[in-house]
Amino acid sequence: MKNFKHSKKKLVYVFFLAALVVGVFTSCDKAVAAKENPELMKVYGESEAEMTAPPMVPRPVGKRAATKLIVNMEVVEKEMEMSDGVSYVYWTFDGTVPGSFIRTRVGDEVEFHLKNHPDSKLPHNIDLHAVTGPGGGAESSFVAPGHEAVFTFKTMNPGLYVYHCATAPVGMHIANGMYGLILVEPEGGLEPVDKEYYVMQGDFYTEGENGERGLQAFSMQKAVDEDADYVVFNGKVGGLTGDNALTAKVGETVRLFVGNGGPNLVSSFHVIGEIFDKVYVEGGSLINENIQTTLIPAGGAAIVEFKVEVPGNLVLVDHSIFRAFNKGALGILKVEGEENKKVYGGKIEEKVYNPGVSAAEVTEEETEDAPVANTSLAEKMERGKQIYTQNCLACHQATGNGIPNAFPPLAGSDYLNADVHRAIEVVKFGLTGEIEVNGNVYNSAMPKQNISDEDVANVLTYVYNNWGNNKTEVTAEMVKKAK
């Protein structure tokens, strides 16, 4: 009898253990199935999405479970600065270009509230490239001024995705600034880094030419011709320079979420002075390493990561380089910290180079008083214009207006007009560090110009006799005296 009872207990225990094992395996199978098909992922709780204006991003999702995420976004049509003295009526998501950064994780159930401000003139909608469904949500989100549309979707695929307005004419809505990024993090989140920033390129088409002052209207013909007046980061010239510059400390790892709203141009994204340790190609799961420049298509994105190892100003550009120095696609990442001479030693020597002539002969020649030809003001101006076009135009522009927050204006420049001898020294020997010009602070590098004393005099005479400056005539003798 005792043996029977013992056997019965043992049998119950075996059945219990078997049921437990089956349950565990069933649960694991469900978990694997859910991982392979996020549609099956269970959501836990509900929260409102943290939304951030560029260049900031919300906190990482970390290891949180999938949840119901409420996203509130408002369409606002507003006039803002495109460039110094130039304004434009942008159509925006949440009042910024690009619109707010949205951060989710795979498996989230998103309830999206799109509101169109009552002062808007037009209806709008939103197409999120992260959405699996008709129009990326555009069909469900079309909303008139003073109304709100609500729709839901499941985040099925991890990656960095563009969103944009898709109301006809679609190109015009995008060209007016209606785009942004939504990140869908993988389960468990992205690896932690020290700094994360949000950068988005866009091309703009105005009735007036680049730099033409006043309120500028959208030019449909230029947009159709893909003839952009401005190519910028974060909605404006200087959107990532000066007070808007990104910052990091030596030794930190930086992650940039980079998008390209277009509507037309492909971006050749590059950071001068850095190499990308990792690039999540087109914002997806494929990771490339040790990359100098990465292509980002219109309506596409990429994630780039790199460790900053030396201090200085790193320059973000579209390496279709005239867009950077002439149309505005330029930003600054200011890195502070200790020098690291093992990584970057900087200039250690500068000496004369003149093939076929010894350094001693060159030095001797330079100390002799060479005769200076007598040239008229008109001749100086003509030669000065040639030197300016070859050496100065890219940074200071044909009109002498410079590039806001990057390169100071020469037109009507209080800095130049106050001290001609200082101006000569800048051209002859170069200048690095902060200067104030016409009430604005600039912090960039002016390299030494490898031109003769006579040509220094010519180019400065050209500058001083143009663009409202004080008509000083600079001579070669004045330049020679600068030490």
Side-chain angles (χ1 to χ4, degrees), residues 459-474:
V459 73
L460 281 172
T461 296
Y462 173 75
V463 170
Y464 273 114
N465 285 268
N466 272 299
W467 312 314
N469 289 318
N470 64 13
K471 300 191 179 300
T472 296
E473 183 175 349
V474 181

Side-chain angles (χ1 to χ4, degrees), residues 108-189:
D108 278 347
E109 180 185 301
V110 179
E111 182 178 294
F112 203 106
H113 296 245
L114 184 65
K115 306 159 189 178
N116 194 351
H117 195 279
D119 292 341
S120 295
K121 304 293 189 295
L122 296 167
H124 298 281
N125 64 4
I126 191 166
D127 168 3
L128 301 106
H129 291 184
V131 170
T132 302
E139 291 187 13
S140 302
S141 60
F142 185 82
V143 61
H147 289 77
E148 175 182 352
V150 183
F151 66 103
T152 64
F153 63 92
K154 189 86 165 175
T155 49
M156 301 286 288
N157 303 84
L160 181 64
Y161 299 94
V162 168
Y163 65 79
H164 61 84
C165 185
T167 302
V170 177
M172 181 178 182
H173 284 249
I174 297 173
N176 283 336
M178 298 196 76
Y179 48 76
L181 291 179
I182 175 171
L183 174 66
V184 182
E185 292 199 48
E187 188 171 10

